[in-house]
Structures are given as C-alpha cells and as structure tokens.
C-alpha cells in the first residue's frame, strides 16, 4: 500500500485574507532570516542563562558553604591550639614550682641541717637555693609555733611569727607537706610568693620557707610563651593576677575572665574593651592557680582572612576563565549553527525556486501539448474542407459532409476552451464568499448528478455512510462539488465494469473527513506521487485532461485542508479529504451571516 499526502501543499492555515502564489519574494526571505537570527539569539540567551544557573550559581553556593565550614574549622583549630599552649605552659610552670619546692625541701636533708640554724648556715642555704634559681629572695626556718628562728635574706627580721598567715595554716592543716601562697607584699612592700615545706622532728613540725620574685617567674613564663600575639598570665580562683606583667597591670588586679574551677581546662570567647578575644585556661596541679592564654580573634582569623581572600580570588578567576571559555564556545557554536541555518534556508528557498520554475516549465509543456492537439485537429479538418471544396479532388462537398467536418472543428475548439477554463479555475485566487456548507448534502448532490451521467454506463454500487452530526464548514459550495466530483469520476474510471464506491463522512478533532473508497484497479506506485501534477493522466487520449486531481488539490489547499491517498494495485484506492471547521468562526460574524442566509433560505 502506498500513501501519498498533499499536506505539503499547505504552508499555513488560511486566515481569511486573499493569498496569491509567487515564485520568490525578497521580503519573505529577509523575514525568514530575521526569524532565524531571532531564534538563535534566544537560544544563546537561554544557554548563557543555563551557564549562570547551572555553573556559576552552584559554584557560588558551594563557595559560601565551604567558606563557613572553613572559617568554623579554622576557628576550632585556633581554640585547640590556644588550649594546647595553655596546657603546655601550665605543665612547665608546674614543673618549675615542683623543682623550687624540691630545692627548698632538700635543705632539710643537707649535711649542715640543724634545728637551731645559725645565720651562717641560713646564708649557705640561701646561696645554695640561688644556685638553682635567682628567683629566691630569702629563706627562713620556723619552729613548731610558727616563729622564724633562722633567716637569710635582704631584710633584717627576727622572731617573726607566721602562725596567722594563710599559707602557714594551709600547710599545717592539709596533708600536703608543701604549699605555694598567693602573691603578697613583703615587708619592703614588694610583691612576692612564699613557698614552704614542713618536716617533723621528734613529734614537732618545723617549716622551711622561701620567698620567690614574681618578676623572675613572669620572665620564665614569657620565655616559654610562643605564638603570635598570645598573652599568658596566672590567676587564682578569685581571678586575681598572680603572675603578670606588673608594669601594665596593678598589684592584685582582677581578670575580667574567671575560669570555671569545675573544668580543668577549656577555651572561651569573650569581649573585653570592644575587642573579642579567645581565652584558654588550664588549672595547676600544685596550687589553685589557673594559667590563662589570650589571643585576639582578629589575629586568629588573620590566616583565615588571607586564605579566604586567596580562595575567593582564585575561585573568581577560575570561574571567570571557565565562563569566558564556555561563553566563547557557546557563541561560536551558536554562530556556526546560525550561519548553517541561514545557508540551509537560502538553499531551501533556491530549491523551492528551482522546483517552481521546473513546475512552471512542466505546466507550460503540458498546456502546449493539450492545446496543440485540438489545434492540430482544427487545422487538419479545415484542410479537409478545402479539399472537399476543390473540384479537382472530386470529394463529397455536400452540406451534410461539410457540417460533419465543422462539427469536428467545434468539438476540438470546445475541448481547447475547456482546458483554458480549467487552467483559469486552478490558478484563480477568488475572493472569499464562504458560507456554511453541509458536506453530506454536497455529496448527495454530486452523487445524484453522477448517477445520471458517469455511473450510468457501469454497474457501480454506491454505499453512503454519512455522519448525521457532521458540522458545517465555512467554504464555497461550488469548488467543493468540483473536488468531490473529480474524485468520484476518477473512482468510476478506475472501475472496469462493476464495483463499489463507498463514501463516508466523520469528524475528527476540528476536521471534517470525507473518505471515498473504490474497488477499482488501483494506482501504480510510480504514478502515485504524480497524480496531483497538472496534465498527468493515465487515461486514453481525449478522455482526460489530467487537471481534475490537480484542481481538487488546489481547492483543498485553499480551504486549509489536505488530501490523503491510499492505494493497492488491483484492489482499489481510497481518497480522504480533510477540511477544517472553526467553531468560533461559525459562531462569530460568519455564523451570524450564515444564520441570516439560512433564515432567508428558510422563508
């Protein structure tokens, strides 16, 4: 089965305005090129937006996410590092204090130790201590009542009783045999620490005490401090500074941050003097002191700001480079595609132009051939009449004979006139005078006429399967009668002696479909695609002009419809005509006109 459609004959649906065929229109070509340029401009815009939404926006969101993750991780690392510094310095100070306690406690075990030390012995004790650390200021030996019975140092003291001192009561009451006191003022009003150890002899407690210079301890703390802009200090449980730069902070000054004693170490972020700082703390094992290390958050985040700046700049540069490359590639591809589309459009127009020229040439040749035939008959017959009137040939030149030849000339002229009229009908772009048409009624009229003429000489059974609910269409009735008449005549010619022609109508979506099936001889495949060409016919000479289906295709195209042909050689053919109907058109101005006309007809 071969199927040939004439839908390609319809470029656009009719708009109600009169249209005309043309070979080439420069304005249309320019309009098509502008459409192509507009299309590719929109395509490039969509691709660029896709680049922004698909590449740059996710990158920006990921950058923001990783920036916050990076800042959070860096800050946590800074806290852990600061806490490690505090822990390390605390351990060093702890070891330092333990060594000083051991130095002092070793005096009880020296060779010259005695419970009644002389001034010389005490001086030797002090010298011995100073060999270990210059922080020792003086040394004293206390009896069981807390009275200092031996002393060596820069001050002239004797018989001082320390039993009411806090460090003394702690040393006596606690299990530990040593104590380190808070910072206090000595007799010369200079700050100092006191460390003391106790030993028991013959059931009585004796105490060896020494004073330490806090400046020396602060210098030691600074010597073990490391890290950029990290300040270290030691406070007691009340937050009073014990080891600090006393040139900057007054004696017994209090820290704005008091570390919680419940946690042995930790890190807090506080704001002091309009500056946010990280404070790490770690409590000592030998004394109720805590070591504090402070570092401004701005210093901590300096590295983060630098890394973020480098990362952001690198990301922007990489994104810009990739975006430029992608944009350049998109622009290049779209530009190439646009040029190819324009060349394709121009080539298509050239092919269409060449095809139309070829059709015009073929049409001209067909017209010349069809007109030449009756002209040749007219010329030959007129020559015969001249011969009949010439006495030399002795031919029958009676009125009857001459009238017979003139009839032949009239028939040839009538045939030529018919051909020219059909050509005029095919090329006519008549103004629209559409009215509501009932296709079922049109088919009935055509069938009734053909049954009396074309179908009369053959045994043809006509089967009608009309849809009673078929809607009207807006069209001219006469051209549609010509369409259905031409198809039915071809169906009749395809049937040799007897056969069946089935006509059915139905509605699909917004199209009215008319299908005409015949049980004729069918159309050969090689002829199927040429049946709508002007002057193409397979009928015997003089029986057909080859314009019937071509005119039908032109009319259907003008109405905005299509013709489909199915054919099986030896079985039959089927022509389906699809014509649009517009509900709005029927109910609009045309509908009102139709109602008016129907009302007039009904009167």
């Amino acid at each position: 089965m071969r199927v040939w459609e004439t839908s390609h004959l319809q470029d656009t649906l009719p708009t109600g305005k009169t249209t005309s065929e043309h070979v080439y229109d420069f304005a249309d070509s320019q309009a098509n090129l502008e459409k192509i340029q507009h299309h590719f401009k929109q395509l490039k815009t969509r691709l660029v937006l896709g680049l922004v939404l698909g590449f740059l926006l996710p990158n920006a969101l990921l950058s923001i996410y990783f920036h916050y993750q990076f800042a959070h991780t860096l800050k946590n690392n800074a806290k852990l590092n600061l806490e490690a510094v505090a822990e390390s310095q605390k351990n060093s100070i702890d070891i330092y204090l333990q060594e000083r306690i051991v130095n002092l406690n070793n005096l009880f075990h020296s060779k010259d130790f005695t419970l009644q030390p002389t001034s010389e012995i005490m001086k030797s004790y002090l010298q011995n201590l100073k060999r270990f650390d210059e922080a020792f200021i003086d040394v004293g030996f206390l009896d069981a009542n807390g009275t200092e019975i031996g002393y060596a140092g820069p001050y002239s003291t004797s018989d001082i009783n320390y039993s009411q001192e806090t460090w003394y009561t702690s040393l006596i009451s606690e299990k530990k045999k040593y104590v380190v006191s808070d910072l206090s003022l000595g007799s010369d009003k200079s700050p100092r620490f006191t460390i003391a150890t106790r030993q028991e002899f013959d059931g009585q407690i004796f105490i060896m005490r020494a004073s330490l210079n806090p400046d020396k301890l602060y210098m030691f703390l600074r010597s073990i401090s490391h890290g950029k802009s990290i300040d270290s200090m030691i406070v007691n449980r009340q937050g009073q500074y014990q080891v600090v730069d006393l040139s900057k902070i007054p004696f017994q000054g209090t820290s704005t941050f008091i570390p919680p004693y419940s946690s042995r170490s930790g890190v807090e972020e506080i704001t002091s003097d309009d500056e946010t700082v990280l404070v790490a703390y770690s409590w000592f094992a030998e004394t109720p002191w805590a070591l504090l290390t402070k570092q401004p958050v701005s210093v901590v985040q300096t590295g983060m700001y630098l890394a973020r700046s480098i990362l952001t700049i690198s990301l922007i540069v990489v994104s810009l480079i990739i975006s430029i490359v992608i944009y350049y590639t998109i622009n290049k591809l779209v530009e190439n595609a646009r040029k190819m589309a324009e060349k394709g459009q121009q080539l298509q127009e050239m092919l269409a132009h060449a095809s139309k020229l070829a059709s015009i040439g073929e049409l001209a040749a067909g017209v010349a051939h069809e007109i030449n035939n009756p002209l040749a008959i007219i010329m030959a017959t007129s020559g015969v009449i001249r011969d009949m009137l010439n006495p030399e040939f002795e031919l029958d030149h009676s009125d009857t004979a001459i009238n017979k030849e003139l009839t032949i000339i009239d028939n040839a002229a009538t045939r030529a006139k018919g051909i020219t009229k059909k050509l005029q009908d095919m090329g006519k772009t008549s103004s629209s005078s559409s009215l509501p048409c009932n296709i079922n009624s049109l088919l009935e009229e055509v069938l009734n006429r053909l049954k009396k003429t074309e179908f009369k000489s053959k045994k043809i059974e006509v089967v009608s399967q009309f849809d009673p609910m078929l809607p009207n269409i807006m069209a001219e009735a006469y051209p549609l009668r010509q369409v259905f008449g031409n198809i039915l005549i071809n169906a009749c010619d395809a049937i040799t002696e007897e056969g069946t022609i089935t006509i059915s109508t139905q509605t699909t979506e917004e199209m009215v479909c008319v299908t005409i099936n015949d049980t004729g001889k069918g159309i050969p495949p090689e002829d199927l695609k040429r049946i709508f060409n002007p002057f193409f016919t397979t009928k015997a000479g003089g029986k057909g002009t080859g314009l019937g289906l071509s005119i039908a295709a032109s009319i259907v195209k003008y109405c905005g419809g299509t013709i489909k042909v199915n054919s099986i050689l030896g079985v039959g053919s089927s022509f389906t005509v699809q014509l649009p109907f517009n509900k709005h058109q029927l109910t609009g101005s045309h509908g009102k006109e139709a109602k008016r006309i129907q009302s007039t007809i009904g009167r």
Side-chain angles (χ1 to χ4, degrees), residues 459-494:
K459 295 180 179 179
I460 296 176
E461 180 186 1
V462 178
V463 179
S464 300
Q465 299 173 345
F466 294 159
D467 180 4
M469 302 302 293
L470 200 69
N472 292 342
I473 66 170
M474 295 299 297
E476 293 182 74
Y478 174 74
L480 292 181
R481 290 192 190 96
Q482 197 171 3
V483 170
F484 300 132
N486 290 341
I487 297 174
L488 286 169
I489 290 172
N490 283 336
C492 175
D493 292 340

mmCIF file of all heavy atoms in Angstrom, residues 459-494:
data_model
loop_
_atom_site.group_PDB
_atom_site.id
_atom_site.type_symbol
_atom_site.label_atom_id
_atom_site.label_comp_id
_atom_site.label_asym_id
_atom_site.label_seq_id
_atom_site.Cartn_x
_atom_site.Cartn_y
_atom_site.Cartn_z
ATOM 1 N N LYS A 459 -21.941 -0.896 -13.789
ATOM 2 C CA LYS A 459 -22.684 -1.430 -12.646
ATOM 3 C C LYS A 459 -21.913 -1.055 -11.377
ATOM 4 O O LYS A 459 -21.066 -1.807 -10.878
ATOM 5 C CB LYS A 459 -22.828 -2.942 -12.748
ATOM 6 C CG LYS A 459 -23.671 -3.384 -13.927
ATOM 7 C CD LYS A 459 -23.783 -4.894 -13.962
ATOM 8 C CE LYS A 459 -24.654 -5.328 -15.139
ATOM 9 N NZ LYS A 459 -24.769 -6.821 -15.224
ATOM 10 N N ILE A 460 -22.183 0.091 -10.875
ATOM 11 C CA ILE A 460 -21.462 0.606 -9.694
ATOM 12 C C ILE A 460 -22.440 0.735 -8.537
ATOM 13 O O ILE A 460 -23.491 1.392 -8.657
ATOM 14 C CB ILE A 460 -20.815 1.969 -9.992
ATOM 15 C CG1 ILE A 460 -19.746 1.812 -11.080
ATOM 16 C CG2 ILE A 460 -20.194 2.562 -8.727
ATOM 17 C CD1 ILE A 460 -19.111 3.115 -11.511
ATOM 18 N N GLU A 461 -22.093 0.080 -7.449
ATOM 19 C CA GLU A 461 -22.895 0.197 -6.225
ATOM 20 C C GLU A 461 -22.290 1.300 -5.354
ATOM 21 O O GLU A 461 -21.081 1.287 -5.060
ATOM 22 C CB GLU A 461 -22.896 -1.121 -5.453
ATOM 23 C CG GLU A 461 -23.715 -1.051 -4.164
ATOM 24 C CD GLU A 461 -23.589 -2.315 -3.329
ATOM 25 O OE1 GLU A 461 -22.844 -3.227 -3.761
ATOM 26 O OE2 GLU A 461 -24.218 -2.387 -2.263
ATOM 27 N N VAL A 462 -23.111 2.229 -4.994
ATOM 28 C CA VAL A 462 -22.658 3.357 -4.171
ATOM 29 C C VAL A 462 -23.161 3.156 -2.741
ATOM 30 O O VAL A 462 -24.361 2.990 -2.519
ATOM 31 C CB VAL A 462 -23.154 4.691 -4.731
ATOM 32 C CG1 VAL A 462 -22.712 5.836 -3.819
ATOM 33 C CG2 VAL A 462 -22.639 4.906 -6.142
ATOM 34 N N VAL A 463 -22.236 3.115 -1.790
ATOM 35 C CA VAL A 463 -22.580 2.947 -0.376
ATOM 36 C C VAL A 463 -22.264 4.253 0.342
ATOM 37 O O VAL A 463 -21.112 4.738 0.297
ATOM 38 C CB VAL A 463 -21.779 1.793 0.257
ATOM 39 C CG1 VAL A 463 -22.133 1.658 1.747
ATOM 40 C CG2 VAL A 463 -22.053 0.500 -0.493
ATOM 41 N N SER A 464 -23.265 4.819 0.954
ATOM 42 C CA SER A 464 -23.076 6.091 1.684
ATOM 43 C C SER A 464 -23.144 5.836 3.184
ATOM 44 O O SER A 464 -24.094 5.210 3.667
ATOM 45 C CB SER A 464 -24.161 7.100 1.275
ATOM 46 O OG SER A 464 -24.092 7.353 -0.119
ATOM 47 N N GLN A 465 -22.131 6.303 3.886
ATOM 48 C CA GLN A 465 -22.074 6.187 5.356
ATOM 49 C C GLN A 465 -21.810 7.580 5.912
ATOM 50 O O GLN A 465 -20.683 7.929 6.281
ATOM 51 C CB GLN A 465 -20.968 5.207 5.763
ATOM 52 C CG GLN A 465 -21.174 3.797 5.230
ATOM 53 C CD GLN A 465 -19.989 2.889 5.513
ATOM 54 O OE1 GLN A 465 -18.907 3.344 5.848
ATOM 55 N NE2 GLN A 465 -20.209 1.585 5.361
ATOM 56 N N PHE A 466 -22.872 8.384 5.923
ATOM 57 C CA PHE A 466 -22.713 9.772 6.331
ATOM 58 C C PHE A 466 -22.948 9.919 7.835
ATOM 59 O O PHE A 466 -23.848 9.283 8.396
ATOM 60 C CB PHE A 466 -23.691 10.669 5.578
ATOM 61 C CG PHE A 466 -23.408 10.724 4.090
ATOM 62 C CD1 PHE A 466 -24.401 11.101 3.198
ATOM 63 C CD2 PHE A 466 -22.142 10.414 3.604
ATOM 64 C CE1 PHE A 466 -24.137 11.163 1.841
ATOM 65 C CE2 PHE A 466 -21.884 10.466 2.237
ATOM 66 C CZ PHE A 466 -22.876 10.836 1.364
ATOM 67 N N ASP A 467 -22.148 10.775 8.450
ATOM 68 C CA ASP A 467 -22.323 11.103 9.869
ATOM 69 C C ASP A 467 -23.415 12.167 9.971
ATOM 70 O O ASP A 467 -23.239 13.302 9.490
ATOM 71 C CB ASP A 467 -20.995 11.627 10.432
ATOM 72 C CG ASP A 467 -21.100 11.993 11.905
ATOM 73 O OD1 ASP A 467 -22.173 11.763 12.506
ATOM 74 O OD2 ASP A 467 -20.107 12.507 12.458
ATOM 75 N N PRO A 468 -24.554 11.827 10.588
ATOM 76 C CA PRO A 468 -25.651 12.818 10.646
ATOM 77 C C PRO A 468 -25.309 14.034 11.500
ATOM 78 O O PRO A 468 -25.945 15.072 11.387
ATOM 79 C CB PRO A 468 -26.812 12.014 11.255
ATOM 80 C CG PRO A 468 -26.161 10.891 11.997
ATOM 81 C CD PRO A 468 -24.915 10.550 11.249
ATOM 82 N N MET A 469 -24.282 13.893 12.394
ATOM 83 C CA MET A 469 -23.915 15.009 13.280
ATOM 84 C C MET A 469 -22.751 15.815 12.703
ATOM 85 O O MET A 469 -22.111 16.582 13.419
ATOM 86 C CB MET A 469 -23.528 14.475 14.657
ATOM 87 C CG MET A 469 -24.603 13.663 15.339
ATOM 88 S SD MET A 469 -26.129 14.615 15.554
ATOM 89 C CE MET A 469 -25.587 15.838 16.716
ATOM 90 N N LEU A 470 -22.496 15.629 11.402
ATOM 91 C CA LEU A 470 -21.363 16.320 10.797
ATOM 92 C C LEU A 470 -21.591 17.837 10.855
ATOM 93 O O LEU A 470 -22.629 18.338 10.417
ATOM 94 C CB LEU A 470 -21.215 15.873 9.334
ATOM 95 C CG LEU A 470 -19.852 16.117 8.704
ATOM 96 C CD1 LEU A 470 -18.808 15.204 9.324
ATOM 97 C CD2 LEU A 470 -19.919 15.877 7.195
ATOM 98 N N PRO A 471 -20.620 18.594 11.377
ATOM 99 C CA PRO A 471 -20.813 20.053 11.453
ATOM 100 C C PRO A 471 -20.622 20.707 10.093
ATOM 101 O O PRO A 471 -19.961 20.150 9.204
ATOM 102 C CB PRO A 471 -19.724 20.499 12.423
ATOM 103 C CG PRO A 471 -18.657 19.477 12.272
ATOM 104 C CD PRO A 471 -19.351 18.181 11.985
ATOM 105 N N ASN A 472 -21.196 21.865 9.909
ATOM 106 C CA ASN A 472 -20.995 22.630 8.687
ATOM 107 C C ASN A 472 -19.599 23.210 8.663
ATOM 108 O O ASN A 472 -18.966 23.423 9.698
ATOM 109 C CB ASN A 472 -22.015 23.763 8.596
ATOM 110 C CG ASN A 472 -23.425 23.231 8.398
ATOM 111 O OD1 ASN A 472 -23.614 22.074 8.000
ATOM 112 N ND2 ASN A 472 -24.411 24.064 8.678
ATOM 113 N N ILE A 473 -19.090 23.487 7.491
ATOM 114 C CA ILE A 473 -17.807 24.169 7.367
ATOM 115 C C ILE A 473 -18.032 25.442 6.574
ATOM 116 O O ILE A 473 -18.993 25.558 5.812
ATOM 117 C CB ILE A 473 -16.746 23.293 6.661
ATOM 118 C CG1 ILE A 473 -17.150 23.041 5.204
ATOM 119 C CG2 ILE A 473 -16.557 21.972 7.390
ATOM 120 C CD1 ILE A 473 -16.056 22.397 4.401
ATOM 121 N N MET A 474 -17.155 26.409 6.772
ATOM 122 C CA MET A 474 -17.245 27.655 6.033
ATOM 123 C C MET A 474 -16.459 27.509 4.747
ATOM 124 O O MET A 474 -15.222 27.404 4.766
ATOM 125 C CB MET A 474 -16.685 28.798 6.880
ATOM 126 C CG MET A 474 -17.481 29.086 8.152
ATOM 127 S SD MET A 474 -19.192 29.559 7.798
ATOM 128 C CE MET A 474 -18.924 31.065 6.881
ATOM 129 N N ALA A 475 -17.136 27.460 3.594
ATOM 130 C CA ALA A 475 -16.468 27.287 2.307
ATOM 131 C C ALA A 475 -17.450 27.654 1.209
ATOM 132 O O ALA A 475 -18.640 27.886 1.440
ATOM 133 C CB ALA A 475 -15.970 25.856 2.141
ATOM 134 N N GLU A 476 -16.906 27.689 -0.027
ATOM 135 C CA GLU A 476 -17.751 27.881 -1.197
ATOM 136 C C GLU A 476 -18.233 26.510 -1.661
ATOM 137 O O GLU A 476 -17.417 25.575 -1.784
ATOM 138 C CB GLU A 476 -16.974 28.568 -2.307
ATOM 139 C CG GLU A 476 -16.598 30.000 -1.963
ATOM 140 C CD GLU A 476 -15.858 30.669 -3.102
ATOM 141 O OE1 GLU A 476 -16.498 31.024 -4.112
ATOM 142 O OE2 GLU A 476 -14.640 30.808 -2.999
ATOM 143 N N ALA A 477 -19.479 26.392 -1.948
ATOM 144 C CA ALA A 477 -20.038 25.088 -2.290
ATOM 145 C C ALA A 477 -19.557 24.596 -3.654
ATOM 146 O O ALA A 477 -19.235 23.420 -3.831
ATOM 147 C CB ALA A 477 -21.573 25.152 -2.267
ATOM 148 N N TYR A 478 -19.469 25.513 -4.627
ATOM 149 C CA TYR A 478 -19.143 25.076 -5.982
ATOM 150 C C TYR A 478 -17.770 24.414 -6.069
ATOM 151 O O TYR A 478 -17.638 23.308 -6.638
ATOM 152 C CB TYR A 478 -19.238 26.254 -6.944
ATOM 153 C CG TYR A 478 -18.769 25.920 -8.342
ATOM 154 C CD1 TYR A 478 -19.551 25.132 -9.196
ATOM 155 C CD2 TYR A 478 -17.526 26.351 -8.789
ATOM 156 C CE1 TYR A 478 -19.107 24.807 -10.461
ATOM 157 C CE2 TYR A 478 -17.076 26.026 -10.059
ATOM 158 C CZ TYR A 478 -17.874 25.257 -10.899
ATOM 159 O OH TYR A 478 -17.427 24.930 -12.140
ATOM 160 N N PRO A 479 -16.712 25.012 -5.530
ATOM 161 C CA PRO A 479 -15.400 24.335 -5.601
ATOM 162 C C PRO A 479 -15.405 22.981 -4.912
ATOM 163 O O PRO A 479 -14.765 22.039 -5.392
ATOM 164 C CB PRO A 479 -14.465 25.313 -4.906
ATOM 165 C CG PRO A 479 -15.115 26.623 -5.018
ATOM 166 C CD PRO A 479 -16.585 26.346 -4.933
ATOM 167 N N LEU A 480 -16.136 22.867 -3.791
ATOM 168 C CA LEU A 480 -16.161 21.574 -3.105
ATOM 169 C C LEU A 480 -16.882 20.530 -3.949
ATOM 170 O O LEU A 480 -16.486 19.355 -3.968
ATOM 171 C CB LEU A 480 -16.824 21.705 -1.728
ATOM 172 C CG LEU A 480 -16.034 22.528 -0.696
ATOM 173 C CD1 LEU A 480 -16.772 22.563 0.636
ATOM 174 C CD2 LEU A 480 -14.645 21.934 -0.507
ATOM 175 N N ARG A 481 -17.956 20.948 -4.640
ATOM 176 C CA ARG A 481 -18.624 19.996 -5.547
ATOM 177 C C ARG A 481 -17.624 19.523 -6.596
ATOM 178 O O ARG A 481 -17.599 18.354 -6.980
ATOM 179 C CB ARG A 481 -19.820 20.667 -6.218
ATOM 180 C CG ARG A 481 -20.997 20.949 -5.298
ATOM 181 C CD ARG A 481 -22.226 21.329 -6.120
ATOM 182 N NE ARG A 481 -23.300 21.818 -5.292
ATOM 183 C CZ ARG A 481 -23.540 23.110 -5.067
ATOM 184 N NH1 ARG A 481 -22.796 24.039 -5.643
ATOM 185 N NH2 ARG A 481 -24.540 23.477 -4.294
ATOM 186 N N GLN A 482 -16.768 20.443 -7.072
ATOM 187 C CA GLN A 482 -15.781 20.091 -8.087
ATOM 188 C C GLN A 482 -14.760 19.097 -7.524
ATOM 189 O O GLN A 482 -14.352 18.150 -8.210
ATOM 190 C CB GLN A 482 -15.075 21.358 -8.559
ATOM 191 C CG GLN A 482 -14.340 21.197 -9.868
ATOM 192 C CD GLN A 482 -13.849 22.539 -10.394
ATOM 193 O OE1 GLN A 482 -14.017 23.573 -9.756
ATOM 194 N NE2 GLN A 482 -13.270 22.503 -11.589
ATOM 195 N N VAL A 483 -14.372 19.300 -6.262
ATOM 196 C CA VAL A 483 -13.409 18.380 -5.632
ATOM 197 C C VAL A 483 -13.978 16.973 -5.570
ATOM 198 O O VAL A 483 -13.371 16.000 -6.050
ATOM 199 C CB VAL A 483 -13.043 18.878 -4.221
ATOM 200 C CG1 VAL A 483 -12.240 17.811 -3.475
ATOM 201 C CG2 VAL A 483 -12.252 20.166 -4.285
ATOM 202 N N PHE A 484 -15.159 16.843 -4.959
ATOM 203 C CA PHE A 484 -15.744 15.514 -4.794
ATOM 204 C C PHE A 484 -16.135 14.909 -6.141
ATOM 205 O O PHE A 484 -16.021 13.693 -6.338
ATOM 206 C CB PHE A 484 -16.969 15.582 -3.880
ATOM 207 C CG PHE A 484 -16.635 16.110 -2.510
ATOM 208 C CD1 PHE A 484 -17.392 17.117 -1.915
ATOM 209 C CD2 PHE A 484 -15.540 15.617 -1.816
ATOM 210 C CE1 PHE A 484 -17.094 17.603 -0.672
ATOM 211 C CE2 PHE A 484 -15.235 16.104 -0.545
ATOM 212 C CZ PHE A 484 -16.003 17.100 0.020
ATOM 213 N N GLY A 485 -16.583 15.781 -7.087
ATOM 214 C CA GLY A 485 -16.927 15.272 -8.399
ATOM 215 C C GLY A 485 -15.720 14.682 -9.118
ATOM 216 O O GLY A 485 -15.794 13.581 -9.699
ATOM 217 N N ASN A 486 -14.583 15.389 -9.081
ATOM 218 C CA ASN A 486 -13.373 14.897 -9.742
ATOM 219 C C ASN A 486 -12.912 13.578 -9.142
ATOM 220 O O ASN A 486 -12.496 12.655 -9.862
ATOM 221 C CB ASN A 486 -12.264 15.939 -9.642
ATOM 222 C CG ASN A 486 -12.542 17.158 -10.506
ATOM 223 O OD1 ASN A 486 -13.361 17.100 -11.430
ATOM 224 N ND2 ASN A 486 -11.884 18.264 -10.207
ATOM 225 N N ILE A 487 -12.952 13.472 -7.805
ATOM 226 C CA ILE A 487 -12.503 12.233 -7.168
ATOM 227 C C ILE A 487 -13.441 11.076 -7.522
ATOM 228 O O ILE A 487 -12.994 9.955 -7.823
ATOM 229 C CB ILE A 487 -12.411 12.416 -5.637
ATOM 230 C CG1 ILE A 487 -11.349 13.471 -5.302
ATOM 231 C CG2 ILE A 487 -12.073 11.097 -4.942
ATOM 232 C CD1 ILE A 487 -11.286 13.826 -3.833
ATOM 233 N N LEU A 488 -14.752 11.345 -7.494
ATOM 234 C CA LEU A 488 -15.717 10.290 -7.805
ATOM 235 C C LEU A 488 -15.618 9.870 -9.268
ATOM 236 O O LEU A 488 -15.765 8.681 -9.602
ATOM 237 C CB LEU A 488 -17.133 10.770 -7.477
ATOM 238 C CG LEU A 488 -17.459 10.840 -5.975
ATOM 239 C CD1 LEU A 488 -18.770 11.578 -5.733
ATOM 240 C CD2 LEU A 488 -17.524 9.437 -5.383
ATOM 241 N N ILE A 489 -15.373 10.835 -10.171
ATOM 242 C CA ILE A 489 -15.214 10.474 -11.593
ATOM 243 C C ILE A 489 -13.998 9.584 -11.775
ATOM 244 O O ILE A 489 -14.019 8.588 -12.505
ATOM 245 C CB ILE A 489 -15.115 11.744 -12.454
ATOM 246 C CG1 ILE A 489 -16.480 12.455 -12.486
ATOM 247 C CG2 ILE A 489 -14.639 11.434 -13.858
ATOM 248 C CD1 ILE A 489 -16.457 13.813 -13.133
ATOM 249 N N ASN A 490 -12.899 9.913 -11.084
ATOM 250 C CA ASN A 490 -11.697 9.061 -11.155
ATOM 251 C C ASN A 490 -11.972 7.672 -10.589
ATOM 252 O O ASN A 490 -11.467 6.664 -11.103
ATOM 253 C CB ASN A 490 -10.543 9.712 -10.398
ATOM 254 C CG ASN A 490 -9.913 10.853 -11.183
ATOM 255 O OD1 ASN A 490 -10.007 10.886 -12.416
ATOM 256 N ND2 ASN A 490 -9.309 11.794 -10.489
ATOM 257 N N ALA A 491 -12.774 7.631 -9.493
ATOM 258 C CA ALA A 491 -13.113 6.321 -8.917
ATOM 259 C C ALA A 491 -13.936 5.501 -9.903
ATOM 260 O O ALA A 491 -13.738 4.284 -10.055
ATOM 261 C CB ALA A 491 -13.892 6.516 -7.609
ATOM 262 N N CYS A 492 -14.850 6.169 -10.580
ATOM 263 C CA CYS A 492 -15.670 5.476 -11.590
ATOM 264 C C CYS A 492 -14.802 4.971 -12.739
ATOM 265 O O CYS A 492 -14.969 3.838 -13.205
ATOM 266 C CB CYS A 492 -16.754 6.437 -12.098
ATOM 267 S SG CYS A 492 -17.743 5.758 -13.440
ATOM 268 N N ASP A 493 -13.852 5.835 -13.189
ATOM 269 C CA ASP A 493 -12.976 5.424 -14.300
ATOM 270 C C ASP A 493 -12.067 4.262 -13.893
ATOM 271 O O ASP A 493 -11.641 3.467 -14.744
ATOM 272 C CB ASP A 493 -12.128 6.618 -14.745
ATOM 273 C CG ASP A 493 -12.982 7.709 -15.405
ATOM 274 O OD1 ASP A 493 -14.105 7.382 -15.836
ATOM 275 O OD2 ASP A 493 -12.522 8.864 -15.471
ATOM 276 N N ALA A 494 -11.737 4.169 -12.588
ATOM 277 C CA ALA A 494 -10.854 3.091 -12.144
ATOM 278 C C ALA A 494 -11.569 1.734 -12.142
ATOM 279 O O ALA A 494 -10.924 0.689 -12.159
ATOM 280 C CB ALA A 494 -10.319 3.396 -10.738
#
